Amino acid sequence: MEQITFDQLKEELFHEKMANGLEVYILPKKGFNKTYATFTTKYGSVDNTFVPLGKNEFVKVPDGIAHFLEHKLFEKEDGDVFQQFSKQGASANAFTSFTRTAYLFSSTADVEKNLETLIDFVQSPYFSEKTVEKEKGIIGQEITMYDDNPDWRLYFGLIQNLYQNHPVRIDIAGTIESISHITKDWLYECYNTFYHPSNMLLFIVGPVDPEKIMNQVRNNQAAKDYKDMPEIKRKFEDEPQAAAEKKQVMQMNVQTPKCLVGIKALHVDQTGREMLKNELTMNVLLDLLFGKSSDYYYELYNDGLVDDSFSYDYTQEQGFGFAMVGGDTNNPDQLSERIQKILIAAKSKGTFTDEQLERAKKKKIGAFLRAINSPEYIANQFTRYAFNEMDLFDVVPTLEGITIKDVESLAEEVIAEERFSVCQIVPKK
Amino acid sequence: MNASEERMIEMQGYKLHVIETNKYKTNTIVWRMKAPLTKEDVTKRALLPQVLQSSSAKYPATTKLRAHLDELYGATLFVDLAKKGEYHIISFLIEIANEKFLSDPAPLLKKGFELLAEILTKPNVSGSSFDKETIEKEKRTLKQRIQSVYDDKMRYSNARLIEEMCKGEPYALQVNGDLEDVDAITAENLYDYYKKAFLEDEMDLYVVGDVKEEDVRKAASELLQFENRTPKQAPEQEVQKRSEVNEVKEHQDVKQGKLNIGYRTNIKYGDPDYFTLQVFNGIFGGFSHSKLFINVREKASLAYYAASRLESHKGLMMVMSGIDNKNYDQAVGIIHEQMEAMKKGDFTDEELTQTKAVIRNQILETLDTSRGLLEILYHNVVAQTDIKIDDWLTEMGKVTRDQIVQTANKIDLDTIYFLTGSEAGE
């Protein structure tokens, strides 16, 4: 077991790679009641074309299957794993993103029992035709719920504008039509391909004894028979650099219009330190332009174009990425024009001062401290970083190293009208 | 278990609550102001904290204040409104990094206090009026905030249930006030209200983090002093049991129907059977092992979510679920059956033990976040009680099957609200 110490943050991290390839991390948090554990596979909604384990040909699976599998893994021959967790005083959950599926629990007692339950239920699938059919009603309602949610529609609408071929444009839960094609055999095929321990990471954070917990995981894994697994082959179609659509306007049952401007990212082949630096620099750039202390934000607010729903965000993963800026507005066309103008203006040198940059960096460093109060943040983000070969605990030193030149050259490169797109939601007439 | 030690100190015009802990990398300062919920004041109270945080004497423009916050290692400042029972509560929250974890050792906590005092006590005022431009901007934003509830159908249907159920009671008011009352607010009358609120509201200051009580007390007494007051009590609401269930259907262009059912529990925080009610809610609909989740979602596949929650200070329980428009009768039927089962004591001992374990876990987890801890502690201010978290855990552990059945039989169904996209629900 490897031990890593972070002096400034006064945290310690323990790590071991199991014989079957599973990565295990433990971060002890003294003084906390809660232990939080996530068991995550590097498999999400975008992994829809791949070579199944033991086969030679690529297959394309129905949209929404990674999320469907997440739901179905909780059901076993003798009942529901939720019940098991609550008998042990724990609360369990799971989520599926574009690139990951995570199973988790939190509990303040019986941590070892709950950890055993988590690992074992994820590692023992049980799918039957009957339960697969039953789940279609439940997930159908989940999909309909999102269909009525204008913010979700706006967000996905923008992604679909930006991406032409990449499966990031497919809704994570799929559609009622696409999930109707899911069968237990499809689920097993996905499970067997992506849930091998060598494609997974277990993170435990809480008031635990790392020695003891690592030992427990080691014994648990040693008792299971996993064969070595060849590298997973995934396929993604080529994606042009430019945005697929310039603009999309959707009509919905809302009172206030919504507008989001997106930029399709560059460098989506990065990993490791390079990716971390790019991602953080992009975040700093957006903060400088649209943060609440920026002049641009102040002008937009004064002119009545934005309210407190205004926000901005940057996402970067393997093969796709985007920045998004916007919110509720009474004048969606004017807002999208102004945001694009602000972005274009940021390309010219001398837009930002050293003082502004230092302030933006301080803000991000403080936000990081606040975030690591949260066991959920630590486990989920650490996993996301690790799957991209980055280290969560490099965030502060990397931020400290960002210069005006870094921000300027990123702005110059990434901001381009051909990669812009706009999505708006307006009230139905 | 480490039940957090809350120390309370009477200050001039408010109570200071200090919770010393070294769990966090940040320190949290929360200022709360509580007053009875009234139609006359609620909209002003929704606007007031927004005006105070967006323009003070030292930071007349939001940009300057926000730059200062960034400078303080991204200290966060935000305001929040809540309805608890018949009270309206304004909160100002500041979370600021603990410099122990930064390479720059300049102390930050005192700066947080100074900032809070600046915002609360030194607004941007000329004569007897707030800055007019600020008021106009914030009124516009408030209108949008009130309207935005309509666009989020889950929030909308919940707000509509309360409106229908509590018609004529202060609790029917929306937390952000009334759209129609925004225009009448002026820079002058809001300034008058500001003075009144700081003279009459019940005010509490909470500080959580790696702090020393003595330092906190010193900083607070230096920077924050108000007139002493006797807090106003909201008048007790007499609610008559309905002779017939109030069924409301509303049609809108939605794909999924939103079913919200309101019950009067007739039990409030501080009542002897409050802990029993919590266990009741846990078995009935609070969790993913509860009757609602199992029967509406898992067995009948009607919904993605089906849950119940309590409004502890008002004595309400609300069930919410998103269903297909055509499944209204079936879903309502299943929910009624679950309530009947509870009233007859039709639940296993295992459900009971399981629920207690999960509630205990939930409370202990809540204590791990500074904001969760404050929410739990603030119950005592609203209900004028002095219930320790340890007592809460012990009392809940003692709840028996008979008590739950008795409690279940006190609960009255009041209103069924359905937001539906089609005529199928008729």
Short mmCIF file of all heavy atoms in Angstrom, two decimals, chain B residues 2-29:
data_model
loop_
_atom_site.label_atom_id
_atom_site.label_comp_id
_atom_site.label_asym_id
_atom_site.label_seq_id
_atom_site.Cartn_x
_atom_site.Cartn_y
_atom_site.Cartn_z
N ASN B 2 -19.80 12.21 17.76
CA ASN B 2 -19.38 13.52 18.27
C ASN B 2 -20.49 14.56 18.09
O ASN B 2 -20.49 15.34 17.17
CB ASN B 2 -18.08 13.98 17.60
CG ASN B 2 -18.16 13.87 16.09
OD1 ASN B 2 -19.23 13.60 15.55
ND2 ASN B 2 -17.05 14.10 15.43
N ALA B 3 -21.44 14.52 19.00
CA ALA B 3 -22.51 15.52 18.96
C ALA B 3 -21.85 16.88 19.13
O ALA B 3 -21.06 17.08 20.04
CB ALA B 3 -23.50 15.26 20.07
N SER B 4 -22.17 17.78 18.23
CA SER B 4 -21.45 19.04 18.23
C SER B 4 -21.90 19.92 19.38
O SER B 4 -23.06 19.98 19.72
CB SER B 4 -21.70 19.75 16.91
OG SER B 4 -21.15 18.96 15.90
N GLU B 5 -20.94 20.54 19.97
CA GLU B 5 -21.20 21.43 21.09
C GLU B 5 -21.57 22.80 20.56
O GLU B 5 -20.77 23.47 19.93
CB GLU B 5 -19.95 21.52 21.96
CG GLU B 5 -19.70 20.30 22.79
CD GLU B 5 -20.73 20.11 23.90
OE1 GLU B 5 -21.13 21.13 24.50
OE2 GLU B 5 -21.14 18.96 24.13
N GLU B 6 -22.79 23.20 20.84
CA GLU B 6 -23.21 24.54 20.43
C GLU B 6 -23.18 25.41 21.68
O GLU B 6 -23.79 25.09 22.68
CB GLU B 6 -24.63 24.47 19.87
CG GLU B 6 -25.21 25.82 19.52
CD GLU B 6 -26.72 25.76 19.28
OE1 GLU B 6 -27.37 24.81 19.76
OE2 GLU B 6 -27.25 26.69 18.64
N ARG B 7 -22.44 26.52 21.61
CA ARG B 7 -22.49 27.45 22.74
C ARG B 7 -23.24 28.69 22.35
O ARG B 7 -23.02 29.26 21.28
CB ARG B 7 -21.09 27.76 23.24
CG ARG B 7 -20.79 26.92 24.48
CD ARG B 7 -19.36 26.80 24.78
NE ARG B 7 -18.63 26.20 23.66
CZ ARG B 7 -17.32 26.30 23.52
NH1 ARG B 7 -16.60 26.98 24.39
NH2 ARG B 7 -16.73 25.71 22.49
N MET B 8 -24.16 29.12 23.23
CA MET B 8 -25.02 30.25 22.93
C MET B 8 -24.68 31.41 23.83
O MET B 8 -24.53 31.24 25.05
CB MET B 8 -26.46 29.86 23.14
CG MET B 8 -27.19 29.58 21.86
SD MET B 8 -28.90 29.22 22.17
CE MET B 8 -28.79 27.63 22.95
N ILE B 9 -24.57 32.58 23.24
CA ILE B 9 -24.22 33.77 24.02
C ILE B 9 -25.21 34.87 23.66
O ILE B 9 -25.42 35.16 22.48
CB ILE B 9 -22.78 34.22 23.68
CG1 ILE B 9 -21.80 33.05 23.93
CG2 ILE B 9 -22.38 35.44 24.50
CD1 ILE B 9 -20.75 32.91 22.89
N GLU B 10 -25.81 35.48 24.68
CA GLU B 10 -26.71 36.62 24.44
C GLU B 10 -25.87 37.83 24.06
O GLU B 10 -24.99 38.24 24.81
CB GLU B 10 -27.50 36.96 25.72
CG GLU B 10 -28.67 36.07 26.01
CD GLU B 10 -29.79 36.14 24.98
OE1 GLU B 10 -29.86 37.14 24.21
OE2 GLU B 10 -30.59 35.18 24.93
N MET B 11 -26.13 38.39 22.91
CA MET B 11 -25.41 39.59 22.50
C MET B 11 -26.43 40.73 22.48
O MET B 11 -27.60 40.54 22.77
CB MET B 11 -24.82 39.40 21.10
CG MET B 11 -23.95 38.18 20.95
SD MET B 11 -22.40 38.26 21.87
CE MET B 11 -21.49 39.43 20.85
N GLN B 12 -25.95 41.91 22.07
CA GLN B 12 -26.89 43.00 22.04
C GLN B 12 -27.80 42.94 20.82
O GLN B 12 -27.38 43.24 19.71
CB GLN B 12 -26.15 44.32 22.10
CG GLN B 12 -27.03 45.39 22.69
CD GLN B 12 -26.28 46.67 22.91
OE1 GLN B 12 -25.11 46.66 23.31
NE2 GLN B 12 -26.94 47.78 22.63
N GLY B 13 -29.03 42.52 21.06
CA GLY B 13 -30.01 42.47 19.97
C GLY B 13 -30.07 41.13 19.25
O GLY B 13 -30.91 40.95 18.38
N TYR B 14 -29.17 40.20 19.55
CA TYR B 14 -29.20 38.90 18.87
C TYR B 14 -28.50 37.85 19.72
O TYR B 14 -27.87 38.17 20.73
CB TYR B 14 -28.53 39.01 17.50
CG TYR B 14 -27.06 39.41 17.54
CD1 TYR B 14 -26.06 38.46 17.43
CD2 TYR B 14 -26.70 40.74 17.67
CE1 TYR B 14 -24.72 38.82 17.46
CE2 TYR B 14 -25.36 41.11 17.71
CZ TYR B 14 -24.37 40.15 17.60
OH TYR B 14 -23.06 40.52 17.64
N LYS B 15 -28.64 36.61 19.27
CA LYS B 15 -27.94 35.50 19.94
C LYS B 15 -26.78 35.05 19.07
O LYS B 15 -26.93 34.89 17.86
CB LYS B 15 -28.89 34.32 20.13
CG LYS B 15 -29.68 34.35 21.40
CD LYS B 15 -30.15 32.94 21.73
CE LYS B 15 -31.23 32.97 22.80
NZ LYS B 15 -32.53 33.43 22.28
N LEU B 16 -25.65 34.79 19.70
CA LEU B 16 -24.50 34.25 18.99
C LEU B 16 -24.40 32.76 19.32
O LEU B 16 -24.51 32.36 20.48
CB LEU B 16 -23.23 34.99 19.44
CG LEU B 16 -21.89 34.41 19.01
CD1 LEU B 16 -21.73 34.50 17.49
CD2 LEU B 16 -20.75 35.15 19.70
N HIS B 17 -24.22 31.95 18.28
CA HIS B 17 -24.06 30.50 18.48
C HIS B 17 -22.69 30.12 17.90
O HIS B 17 -22.44 30.38 16.72
CB HIS B 17 -25.12 29.71 17.73
CG HIS B 17 -26.54 30.19 17.96
ND1 HIS B 17 -27.49 29.43 18.57
CD2 HIS B 17 -27.15 31.36 17.64
CE1 HIS B 17 -28.64 30.10 18.61
NE2 HIS B 17 -28.45 31.27 18.05
N VAL B 18 -21.85 29.52 18.71
CA VAL B 18 -20.53 29.15 18.23
C VAL B 18 -20.36 27.64 18.29
O VAL B 18 -20.68 27.01 19.31
CB VAL B 18 -19.41 29.81 19.08
CG1 VAL B 18 -18.04 29.50 18.49
CG2 VAL B 18 -19.61 31.32 19.16
N ILE B 19 -19.92 27.07 17.19
CA ILE B 19 -19.64 25.64 17.14
C ILE B 19 -18.18 25.46 16.73
O ILE B 19 -17.82 25.74 15.58
CB ILE B 19 -20.58 24.89 16.17
CG1 ILE B 19 -22.04 25.05 16.62
CG2 ILE B 19 -20.24 23.41 16.11
CD1 ILE B 19 -22.81 26.07 15.86
N GLU B 20 -17.35 25.05 17.67
CA GLU B 20 -15.93 24.88 17.38
C GLU B 20 -15.69 23.48 16.84
O GLU B 20 -16.03 22.50 17.49
CB GLU B 20 -15.10 25.08 18.66
CG GLU B 20 -15.12 26.50 19.17
CD GLU B 20 -14.30 26.67 20.45
OE1 GLU B 20 -13.46 25.79 20.76
OE2 GLU B 20 -14.50 27.69 21.13
N THR B 21 -15.08 23.41 15.66
CA THR B 21 -14.75 22.10 15.08
C THR B 21 -13.58 22.25 14.13
O THR B 21 -13.44 23.30 13.49
CB THR B 21 -15.95 21.48 14.33
OG1 THR B 21 -15.48 20.39 13.53
CG2 THR B 21 -16.62 22.49 13.40
N ASN B 22 -12.74 21.23 14.04
CA ASN B 22 -11.65 21.35 13.06
C ASN B 22 -11.83 20.40 11.87
O ASN B 22 -10.91 20.01 11.20
CB ASN B 22 -10.28 21.15 13.72
CG ASN B 22 -10.23 19.84 14.49
OD1 ASN B 22 -11.10 18.98 14.30
ND2 ASN B 22 -9.25 19.69 15.36
N LYS B 23 -13.11 20.08 11.61
CA LYS B 23 -13.42 19.18 10.50
C LYS B 23 -13.21 19.82 9.13
O LYS B 23 -12.97 19.13 8.15
CB LYS B 23 -14.91 18.80 10.57
CG LYS B 23 -15.18 17.51 11.28
CD LYS B 23 -16.58 17.51 11.82
CE LYS B 23 -17.58 16.85 10.91
NZ LYS B 23 -18.80 16.46 11.67
N TYR B 24 -13.37 21.14 9.08
CA TYR B 24 -13.47 21.78 7.77
C TYR B 24 -12.23 22.59 7.39
O TYR B 24 -11.48 23.01 8.24
CB TYR B 24 -14.69 22.71 7.74
CG TYR B 24 -15.95 22.04 8.21
CD1 TYR B 24 -16.60 22.49 9.37
CD2 TYR B 24 -16.47 20.95 7.54
CE1 TYR B 24 -17.76 21.87 9.82
CE2 TYR B 24 -17.63 20.32 7.99
CZ TYR B 24 -18.27 20.78 9.13
OH TYR B 24 -19.39 20.16 9.57
N LYS B 25 -12.11 22.84 6.10
CA LYS B 25 -11.02 23.67 5.60
C LYS B 25 -11.47 25.12 5.46
O LYS B 25 -10.73 25.97 5.01
CB LYS B 25 -10.56 23.14 4.23
CG LYS B 25 -10.21 21.66 4.22
CD LYS B 25 -8.73 21.44 4.06
CE LYS B 25 -8.33 19.99 3.97
NZ LYS B 25 -8.57 19.18 5.17
N THR B 26 -12.72 25.36 5.80
CA THR B 26 -13.28 26.71 5.71
C THR B 26 -14.04 27.01 7.01
O THR B 26 -14.34 26.11 7.78
CB THR B 26 -14.29 26.78 4.55
OG1 THR B 26 -15.23 25.72 4.71
CG2 THR B 26 -13.62 26.65 3.19
N ASN B 27 -14.35 28.30 7.22
CA ASN B 27 -15.20 28.69 8.33
C ASN B 27 -16.49 29.27 7.78
O ASN B 27 -16.48 29.92 6.74
CB ASN B 27 -14.48 29.72 9.21
CG ASN B 27 -13.26 29.11 9.90
OD1 ASN B 27 -13.33 28.00 10.45
ND2 ASN B 27 -12.14 29.81 9.84
N THR B 28 -17.58 29.03 8.50
CA THR B 28 -18.89 29.46 8.01
C THR B 28 -19.53 30.44 8.99
O THR B 28 -19.55 30.20 10.20
CB THR B 28 -19.81 28.23 7.84
OG1 THR B 28 -19.17 27.32 6.95
CG2 THR B 28 -21.16 28.61 7.27
N ILE B 29 -20.03 31.53 8.46
CA ILE B 29 -20.72 32.55 9.26
C ILE B 29 -22.12 32.71 8.68
O ILE B 29 -22.27 32.96 7.48
CB ILE B 29 -20.00 33.92 9.16
CG1 ILE B 29 -18.52 33.78 9.50
CG2 ILE B 29 -20.67 34.95 10.05
CD1 ILE B 29 -17.70 35.05 9.22
#
